[in-house]
Amino acid sequence: MEIKGGPAASSGIVSKKLPDNAPEELKAKSIELCKLAVLGQLKDPDSAKFQNISGSNSLERRLPILNGPLVKTSGFNGYVNAKNSYGGYTGNKLFFCSVDYETETRILEVTIN
């Protein structure tokens, strides 16, 4: 998978970075988990091109189940461009992914707009 800069860099979308004390390998692992989750929602995952992926500060929130436990999460967003069922590229679509910051292995939410 390829991460590129592009026109989205000037789109005005602002993201906060993960705290400086977050290990680089944690960020990289979380981004890879998010990319895999996004790929799982695409018609042609092999055609996906990612760009401008950035992370937000970790924060505590309740899991979206009735009285779910508080978990620390990190959010990542970026753009993905992939082929649709007709074989044409859709154009850059914004995605958001929320990762369990403590376990580093659980995707809590993925949205592609």
Side-chain angles (χ1 to χ4, degrees), residues 49-103:
K49 297 177 185 176
F50 290 92
Q51 59 186 10
N52 299 334
I53 299 174
S54 60
S56 66
N57 291 327
S58 64
L59 46 101
E60 286 192 343
R61 70 176 203 160
R62 290 214 179 271
L63 289 178
I65 56 175
L66 184 61
N67 293 323
L70 277 175
V71 295
K72 289 186 179 178
T73 66
S74 291
F76 293 89
N77 61 48
Y79 291 90
V80 62
N81 189 5
K83 290 182 180 179
N84 58 24
S85 53
Y86 296 106
Y89 278 91
T90 62
N92 287 331
K93 301 290 183 188
L94 179 65
F95 71 86
F96 175 80
C97 176
S98 181
V99 179
D100 184 332
Y101 188 74
E102 294 177 315
T103 67

Side-chain angles (χ1 to χ4, degrees), residues 17-63:
K17 293 187 175 171
L18 283 170
D20 290 335
N21 61 354
E24 288 301 315
E25 60 270 8
L26 170 63
K27 294 178 197 177
K29 185 175 184 178
S30 296
I31 287 172
E32 286 305 312
L33 283 171
C34 285
K35 287 164 77 174
L36 287 172
V38 169
L39 290 173
Q41 294 189 13
L42 300 175
K43 295 276 186 187
D44 185 355
D46 292 332
S47 69
K49 297 177 185 176
F50 290 92
Q51 59 186 10
N52 299 334
I53 299 174
S54 60
S56 66
N57 291 327
S58 64
L59 46 101
E60 286 192 343
R61 70 176 203 160
R62 290 214 179 271
L63 289 178

